[in-house]
Amino acid sequence: MSESHWVDWNKNTQSKDYRGSGSFSTFIIIGPVCFFLGILFAQFPYDFPLLWTSEPVQATYYDFLETHVKFLHASPLIISRILNIVIFVGLLGFFMKLFRPAESNVLFDGASLILYVIGVGVYTSNIVKGMRTITAGIWDMEDFAGIKHDGPVSGEVILGREDTMKVLSASNTILAMVLVGVLVLQAGQWYAESKEKDDFAKGDKKEKKNDGQQQQQQQQQQPQPVEEKKSQ
């Protein structure tokens, strides 16, 4: 079985160039993830009535939520640029940790990168597109008649206003779960490293103890020098 050349199989948590949970690259991964989780937490009160309660949603609430989404989408250009910069900062952290990675990096950081990319896809395909759809208000046009599907197999599906807002709220929840998964994997890497360090420490302690016992046995097996009696 051929080993991957881009993975440094000789590197472990004790190596000097190992980029683990305590490295700067981990910080620039966790920072953007927590930043986006904070934004989603601020959005949670708006999503709660649509997904997390069985009480009927009033029609006036959809008007209020539509105004809120339009206000967010009409934010200054610097807001979207900051969001894009933070996204690429997180990707930079993953690329730094996965440059000549150890086996631990492949397992934990590779899976975290997959979740992070999924989150970026949810953001660009669902959230951004949903905000654009709500801002455009296509359901207010005269030729709009509910759900529309163009093409026999594939095509564009346009939902009504209420369904579009529910999909947007569900996308926020999915994105939050994906980002929490990244944090769980990074925490798992920290736990695995701490356990491995403990195992290394126990192994070193046991090895030193065995070396000490062997030295004592060797000293006991050596013949004791006989002292010559001094002639009286």
Side-chain angles (χ1 to χ4, degrees), residues 32-33 39 55 60 64 68 117 125 156 164-165 183 212-214 217:
V33 170
I39 296 176
E55 298 179 0
T60 55
F64 169 75
H68 170 71
V117 172
S125 62
E156 185 178 8
T164 300
M165 293 181 182
L183 294 180
Q213 292 178 353
Q214 290 178 358
Q217 292 177 358

Side-chain angles (χ1 to χ4, degrees), residues 35-49:
F35 176 78
F36 288 116
L37 283 175
I39 296 176
L40 294 172
F41 181 76
Q43 187 66 23
F44 183 70
Y46 300 95
D47 300 333
F48 184 83

Side-chain angles (χ1 to χ4, degrees), residues 6-55:
W6 63 280
V7 180
D8 191 352
W9 299 101
N10 297 322
K11 186 186 296 185
N12 54 36
T13 57
Q14 305 300 315
S15 303
K16 293 182 179 180
D17 57 345
Y18 172 71
R19 291 175 291 275
S21 58
S23 61
F24 177 74
S25 53
T26 301
F27 170 76
I28 62 177
I29 290 173
I30 296 178
V33 170
C34 294
F35 176 78
F36 288 116
L37 283 175
I39 296 176
L40 294 172
F41 181 76
Q43 187 66 23
F44 183 70
Y46 300 95
D47 300 333
F48 184 83
L50 299 179
L51 301 177
W52 304 101
T53 180
S54 59
E55 298 179 0

Side-chain angles (χ1 to χ4, degrees), residues 59-193:
T60 55
Y61 179 78
Y62 288 105
D63 297 334
F64 169 75
L65 184 58
E66 181 179 358
T67 303
H68 170 71
V69 173
K70 288 181 178 179
F71 178 78
L72 289 178
H73 189 256
S75 300
L77 186 61
I78 189 175
I79 301 299
S80 61
R81 289 180 177 176
I82 290 176
L83 292 177
N84 293 334
I85 290 173
V86 174
I87 290 174
F88 283 107
V89 167
L91 290 174
L92 177 62
F94 283 111
F95 293 150
M96 289 172 61
K97 292 190 75 174
L98 292 173
F99 178 75
R100 299 297 298 169
E103 185 178 3
S104 175
N105 296 125
V106 175
L107 295 175
F108 291 99
D109 297 319
S112 299
L113 178 59
I114 292 174
L115 288 179
Y116 194 84
V117 172
I118 291 174
V120 174
V122 171
Y123 169 71
T124 56
S125 62
N126 287 10
I127 297 178
V128 174
K129 187 176 180 180
M131 295 177 70
R132 289 176 179 174
T133 303
I134 293 174
T135 302
I138 57 178
W139 42 75
D140 296 329
M141 300 179 182
E142 296 180 356
D143 56 346
F144 179 75
I147 300 177
K148 183 174 67 175
H149 180 238
D150 297 331
V153 178
S154 62
E156 185 178 8
V157 178
I158 301 176
L159 303 176
R161 184 179 71 160
E162 291 79 6
D163 292 332
T164 300
M165 293 181 182
K166 290 179 180 179
V167 170
L168 182 61
S169 299
S171 300
N172 292 335
T173 303
I174 294 173
L175 179 57
M177 294 176 63
V178 169
L179 295 177
V180 169
V182 174
L183 294 180
V184 170
L185 286 171
Q186 294 299 309
Q189 186 181 33
W190 169 82
Y191 179 77
E193 289 174 2

